[in-house]
């Protein structure tokens, strides 16, 4: 499949390193700690992290002994999983974690069998896509045992997907690293078909979930699905291209990270790291230069531009303005045209969780996942009508986008991102609301929004009235850039911020904020973690990414970036107490196989099923002692979940249920 005329390249998207990128390479606190973990990992193999020889905080000394005694205060009653790293997943005792959907599984009655050696774009388009990320559920007839599962397929890992494309070379230090061959057209078209989303009917029978392959609403969305730009940007000159003089007709959604399900039962999906798909140079003097630079476009990780001109900036300079939006998909009609809802802004969208405010308007919380970027919310102008689904179908075209300013006194002010208000005027190069939305980040810059440590999922909690903001990390924050809401320089492990909107009104223009949790190992004083003393050595985590709030208002957090090197553990799902005496206590519920990232998570309304997504399993193995080298198709650090010699590793969605049934974690 290789075109040997082009150079091999490294395989990974350089993620979320945009305008905050610090060109110096001073070792950060996180890196120093990581190095220490790494040595320990090699010495001991399995890890007992609280025993680390480092500065030990008084809190940490209390921690281990007190841990058991405190458990009764927690809202979670499951028996905690032990941290560790191996080839498979682990769930708390008394629970089953069953694979429901794997990359390549057929989702239609006529889908071809998965054949990794003979994959085609056509077969991939009828199969479950790659790198499942967001997982949502839309009940059929209100059921928690029969509904539509909606899943984002964020991106593709070519070195794990395709045979015969990897070359192992030595880096400057003499360590093995992999490079992958440039793509041919077939590979690119498979990649494009493996992106997007899946909508699939699922049903629980005798306590076990199954895919309904002949479900009439089953659908694959890909990087080629016809979509419509709607809202203020639709039809604007800056989104017209060679192929589309209307400025309204777009093909595909890419890098869909997290998302949401609206109160009216549609699937919303955030386009995140779109910069990696574009190649080529903008024409000299292009007025999009600053706009694209702020978004890190082009990054050129994928070879799509070699075969599809629209991804080559020199040939179609406006195409990249048609990505970076929230996409809304009407799952009730498998032929519906997905809509890119431009009123919700253009940036590296993480999730789009929503809640109905007291007055009936609907509030969407939106994170822009980049170091030093912003937290947003979108408030619809119209009100949610629970009795008339059709009346809600264009609510997302009309509303107000706000960007967050977190003040030192604990106030959060939501600043309107509206043309003509404040600095968002012609004097600053905006001629309309369309301009403001296309360059949402620059609007946030001018408004003085607070530069955050990578805003990821933001979960409103309808039970306690609060909102939880996952901030993954930001090792580029310098000492003189620390502020009240991002209190750690070189923040390697991230934190979680809690917002209480004024008067419990999610649509309010201001509220209060405080930090729920500073993440990382609480036994290392320099880390400055703030888990409760009831948290065990298994209970702490780094890099919060996605979150789920269950029907009882309990918070579940999934992580991205825990590894042998960084934290001596894999990613997983941690249950975090937010209320009462156990506030700040965390417990490990589930962990992923080596190399994987934890995505989803989703608790179904009856709390008897917890869906989790295992993304890029087997991606890496250098830092895991039993493997100790790069992982790729022919030499994988794990063959999860099938463990067959002829099957590659496969990103999968798992359904977790309690043995014998019943509510999870209760
Ligand atoms: Fe796709 Fe923000 O991680
Ligand atoms: Ca994420
Ligand atoms: Ca993620």
């Amino acid at each position: 499949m290789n075109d040997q005329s082009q150079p091999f390249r490294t395989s990974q998207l350089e993620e979320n390193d945009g305008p905050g990128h610090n060109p110096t390479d001073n070792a950060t606190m996180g890196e120093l700690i990581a190095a220490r973990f790494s040595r320990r990992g090699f010495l001991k193999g399995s890890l007992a992290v609280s025993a680390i020889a480092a500065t030990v905080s008084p809190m940490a000394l209390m921690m281990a002994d007190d841990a058991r005694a405190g458990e009764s205060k927690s809202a979670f009653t499951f028996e905690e999983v032990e941290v560790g790293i191996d080839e498979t997943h682990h769930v708390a005792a008394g629970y089953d974690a069953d694979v429901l959907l794997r990359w390549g599984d057929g989702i239609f009655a006529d889908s071809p069998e998965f054949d990794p050696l003979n994959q085609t774009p056509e077969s991939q388009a009828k199969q479950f896509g790659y790198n499942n990320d967001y997982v949502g559920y839309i009940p059929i007839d209100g059921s928690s045992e029969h509904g539509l599962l909606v899943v984002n397929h964020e991106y593709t890992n070519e070195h794990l997907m395709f045979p015969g494309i990897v070359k192992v070379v030595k880096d400057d230090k003499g360590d093995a690293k992999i490079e992958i061959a440039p793509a041919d057209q077939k590979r690119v078209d498979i990649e494009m078909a493996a992106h997007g989303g899946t909508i699939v009917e699922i049903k629980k029978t005798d306590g076990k979930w199954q895919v309904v392959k002949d479900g009439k609403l089953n659908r694959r969305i890909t990087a080629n699905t016809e979509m419509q730009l709607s809202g203020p940007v639709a039809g604007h000159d800056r989104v017209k291209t060679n192929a589309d003089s209307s400025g309204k007709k777009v093909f595909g959604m890419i890098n869909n990270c997290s998302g949401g399900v609206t109160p009216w039962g549609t699937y919303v999906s955030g386009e995140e790291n779109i910069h990696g798909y574009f190649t080529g140079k903008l024409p000299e003097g292009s007025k999009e230069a600053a706009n694209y630079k702020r978004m890190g476009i082009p990054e050129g990780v994928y070879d799509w531009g070699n075969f599809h001109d629209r991804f080559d900036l020199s040939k179609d300079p406006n195409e990249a303005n048609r990505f970076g939006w929230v996409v809304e998909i009407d799952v009730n009609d498998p032929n519906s045209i997905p809509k890119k809802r431009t009123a919700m802004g253009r940036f590296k969208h993480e999730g789009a969780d929503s809640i109905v405010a007291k007055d009936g308007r609907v509030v969407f919380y939106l994170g822009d996942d980049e170091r030093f970027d912003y937290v947003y919310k979108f408030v619809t102008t119209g009100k949610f009508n629970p009795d008339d689904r059709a009346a809600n179908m264009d609510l997302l075209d009309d509303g107000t986008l706000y960007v967050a300013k977190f003040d030192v006194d604990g106030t959060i002010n939501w600043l309107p991102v509206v043309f003509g208000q404040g600095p968002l005027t012609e004097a600053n190069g905006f001629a309309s609301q369309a301009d403001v939305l296309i360059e949402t980040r620059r609007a946030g810059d001018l408004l003085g929004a607070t530069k955050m440590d990578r805003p990821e999922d933001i979960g409103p909690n309808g039970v306690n009235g609060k909102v939880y903001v996952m901030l993954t990390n930001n090792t580029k924050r310098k000492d003189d850039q620390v502020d009240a809401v991002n209190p750690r320089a070189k923040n390697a492990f991230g934190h979680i911020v809690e917002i209480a909107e004024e008067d419990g009104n999610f649509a309010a223009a201001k509220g209060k904020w405080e930090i729920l949790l500073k993440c990382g190992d609480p036994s290392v004083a320099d880390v400055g973690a703030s888990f409760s003393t009831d948290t065990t050595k298994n209970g702490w985590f780094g890099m919060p990414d996605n979150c789920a709030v269950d029907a009882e208002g309990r918070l579940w957090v999934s992580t991205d970036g825990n590894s042998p090197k960084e934290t001596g553990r894999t990613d997983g799902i941690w249950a975090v107490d937010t209320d009462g005496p156990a506030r700040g206590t965390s417990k490990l519920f589930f962990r992923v196989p080596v190399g994987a990232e934890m995505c989803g998570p989703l608790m179904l309304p009856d709390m008897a099923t917890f869906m989790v997504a295992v993304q890029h399993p087997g991606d890496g193995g250098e830092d895991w002692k039993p493997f100790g080298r790069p992982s790729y198709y022919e030499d994988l650090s794990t063959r999860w979940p099938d463990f067959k010699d002829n099957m590659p590793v496969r990103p999968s969605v798992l359904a977790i249920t309690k043995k014998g049934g019943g509510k999870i974690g209760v």
Side-chain angles (χ1 to χ4, degrees):
M1 299 174 71
N2 307 352
D3 172 1
Q4 300 292 348
S5 64
Q6 296 206 35
F8 278 54
R9 57 172 167 75
T10 54
S11 61
Q12 297 292 357
L13 192 62
E14 179 51 45
E15 207 176 350
N16 314 91
D17 201 22
H21 180 69
N22 177 339
T24 67
D25 58 4
N26 304 336
T28 64
M29 175 61 68
E31 284 156 1
L32 294 172
I33 291 162
R36 214 155 56 210
F37 274 119
S38 163
R39 278 200 302 278
R40 290 190 64 253
F42 280 89
L43 286 171
K44 295 190 70 180
S46 83
L47 298 166
V49 165
S50 61
I52 187 168
T55 341
V56 176
S57 67
M59 187 174 109
L61 292 171
M62 290 156 56
M63 191 174 84
D65 288 347
D66 290 354
R68 297 290 156 197
E71 267 185 0
S72 58
K73 290 185 285 184
S74 172
F76 301 94
T77 59
F78 62 86
E79 192 180 321
E80 188 169 45
V81 175
E82 287 269 328
V83 293
I85 302 151
D86 59 30
E87 292 181 23
T88 195
H89 64 275
H90 298 265
V91 68
Y95 292 85
D96 290 319
D98 299 319
V99 175
L100 176 64
L101 277 160
R102 300 163 296 187
W103 166 49
D105 279 346
I107 61 152
F108 303 101
D110 64 348
S111 297
E113 276 296 304
F114 180 54
D115 179 355
L117 297 178
N118 295 291
Q119 187 71 324
T120 66
E122 294 72 30
S123 56
Q124 178 63 79
K126 291 193 162 188
Q127 297 163 339
F128 195 59
Y130 208 76
N131 272 346
N132 32 227
D133 197 316
Y134 173 75
V135 180
Y137 178 80
I138 300 171
I140 294 175
D141 297 331
S143 174
S144 283
E145 301 195 335
H146 185 201
L148 297 176
L149 198 72
V150 299
V151 182
N152 284 351
H153 300 296
E154 187 184 21
Y155 68 106
T156 48
N157 292 104
E158 284 63 30
H159 61 295
L160 303 175
M161 292 174 74
F162 298 104
I165 67 163
V166 166
K167 187 166 78 177
V168 181
V169 297
K170 300 267 191 224
D171 68 11
D172 297 346
K173 294 178 191 152
D175 294 332
K177 66 168 189 173
I178 57 173
E179 292 182 351
I180 65 170
D184 58 15
Q185 170 116 33
K186 182 180 170 193
R187 191 178 108 196
V188 163
D189 290 346
I190 294 170
E191 292 168 18
M192 292 178 78
H195 276 69
T198 289
I199 298 155
V200 64
E201 186 176 334
I202 57 169
K203 196 168 189 179
K204 196 177 180 188
T205 309
D206 298 329
K208 293 292 175 194
W209 284 95
Q210 278 178 332
V211 168
V212 181
K213 275 202 185 177
D214 54 1
K216 292 187 172 39
L217 302 179
N218 293 0
R219 182 175 188 186
R220 272 301 321 280
I221 309 282
T222 73
N224 285 308
T225 302
E226 183 182 339
M227 306 202 170
Q228 188 188 327
L229 278 174
S230 73
V233 174
H236 193 278
D237 282 349
R238 295 176 71 180
V239 290
K240 290 178 180 165
T241 62
N242 295 336
D244 174 32
S245 59
S246 77
K248 291 181 180 169
K249 186 173 171 181
V250 186
F251 289 93
M253 61 182 197
I254 49 177
N255 212 273
N256 293 76
C257 189
S258 191
V261 166
T262 64
W264 50 97
T266 59
Y267 161 28
V268 282
S269 181
E271 293 183 311
E272 193 196 36
N273 288 304
I274 61 161
H275 56 298
Y277 300 85
F278 293 90
T279 44
K281 270 203 169 86
L282 276 175
E284 204 59 42
S286 168
K287 64 178 191 225
E288 301 302 342
N291 161 27
Y292 285 6
K293 183 163 186 243
R294 184 69 177 80
M295 291 283 282
I297 300 166
E299 172 86 9
V301 172
Y302 293 94
D303 297 325
W304 299 8
N306 295 344
F307 303 96
H308 298 275
D309 287 352
R310 65 191 178 110
F311 293 105
D312 182 340
L313 299 184
S314 71
K315 295 178 177 148
D316 226 333
N318 284 348
E319 182 74 358
N321 276 338
R322 293 142 62 92
F323 293 86
W325 303 104
V326 169
V327 184
E328 183 179 23
I329 301 163
D330 180 2
V331 297
N332 284 15
D333 173 4
N335 298 311
S336 66
I337 295 181
K339 292 183 174 168
K340 296 199 174 188
R341 298 296 189 181
T342 63
M344 300 171 86
R346 175 170 169 272
F347 43 90
K348 293 184 183 173
H349 276 280
E350 183 76 24
D353 273 326
S354 59
I355 193 156
V356 180
K358 286 176 182 171
D359 67 1
R361 289 181 293 162
V362 190
V363 182
F364 287 76
Y365 287 92
L366 309 167
D368 182 355
D369 181 3
E370 187 120 36
R371 297 178 183 118
F372 301 108
D373 260 293
Y374 306 131
V375 165
Y376 297 84
K377 77 175 176 185
F378 177 79
V379 183
T380 61
T381 302
K383 294 180 179 178
F384 171 56
N385 183 340
D387 304 317
D388 182 2
R389 185 173 186 268
N392 304 305
M393 292 307 282
D394 285 317
L395 278 178
L396 297 185
D397 277 346
D398 190 2
T400 305
L401 182 67
Y402 298 87
V403 66
K405 185 165 180 287
F406 295 83
D407 290 328
V408 66
D409 66 354
T411 304
I412 176 175
N413 281 293
W414 293 102
L415 312 173
V417 185
V418 174
F419 173 69
Q421 294 194 21
L424 308 184
T425 60
E426 301 215 20
N428 282 314
F430 300 111
S432 64
Q433 182 65 9
D435 281 336
V436 168
L437 292 165
I438 289 169
E439 295 184 73
T440 302
R441 285 181 164 186
R442 189 164 71 88
D445 298 342
L446 288 163
L447 287 164
T450 304
K451 297 177 192 304
M452 307 297 288
D453 287 345
R454 285 187 60 188
E456 301 256 20
D457 260 3
I458 305 174
N461 182 333
V463 177
N464 71 3
K466 307 279 178 59
V467 181
Y468 294 92
V469 184
M470 308 297 121
L471 298 158
T472 288
N473 60 17
N474 182 357
T475 54
K476 304 290 182 192
R477 187 177 292 276
K478 295 185 222 162
D479 291 320
D480 64 0
Q481 294 174 309
V482 162
D483 60 27
V485 74
N486 300 282
R488 290 187 290 183
K490 305 175 184 83
N491 178 8
F493 305 107
H495 56 291
I496 299 176
V497 170
E498 180 183 72
I499 297 168
E501 302 277 27
E502 192 168 62
D503 300 326
N505 172 19
F506 291 102
K510 65 177 184 177
K512 289 287 187 191
W513 67 266
E514 63 181 281
I515 290 177
L516 171 69
L517 210 52
K518 287 181 275 182
C519 303
D521 185 351
S523 75
V524 182
D526 290 343
V527 169
S530 68
F531 290 93
S532 85
T533 53
D534 290 345
T535 304
T536 75
K537 67 177 172 56
N538 302 307
W540 66 266
F541 58 85
M543 304 85 163
D545 183 344
N546 302 114
C547 68
V549 174
D550 69 26
E552 294 184 0
R554 301 179 307 168
L555 181 66
W556 304 79
V557 175
S558 70
T559 61
D560 169 15
N562 292 272
S563 69
K565 183 167 171 256
E566 298 295 333
T567 55
R569 55 200 58 208
T570 62
D571 283 324
I573 303 283
W574 276 267
V576 178
D577 280 288
T578 55
D579 296 280
R583 180 173 164 91
T585 306
S586 169
K587 283 172 73 174
L588 179 57
F589 179 67
F590 177 90
R591 65 176 163 92
V592 296
V594 62
E597 172 180 343
M598 187 83 261
C599 297
L602 167 77
M603 186 73 86
L604 265 50
D606 67 356
M607 288 178 46
T609 301
F610 196 35
M611 298 280 185
V612 297
V614 175
Q615 196 189 57
H616 62 77
D619 184 17
E622 296 91 328
D623 304 321
W624 181 45
K625 195 190 173 199
F627 194 72
R629 57 191 186 275
S631 171
Y632 59 99
Y633 192 95
E634 285 81 9
D635 186 21
L636 289 162
S637 54
T638 175
R639 290 189 183 271
W640 187 90
D642 301 315
F643 296 106
K644 289 184 183 153
D645 288 344
N646 62 351
M647 270 294 161
V649 68
R650 301 167 80 180
S652 302
V653 172
L654 277 63
I656 300 175
T657 51
K658 200 183 239 179
K659 289 183 194 296
K663 286 188 180 181
I664 288 174
V666 177

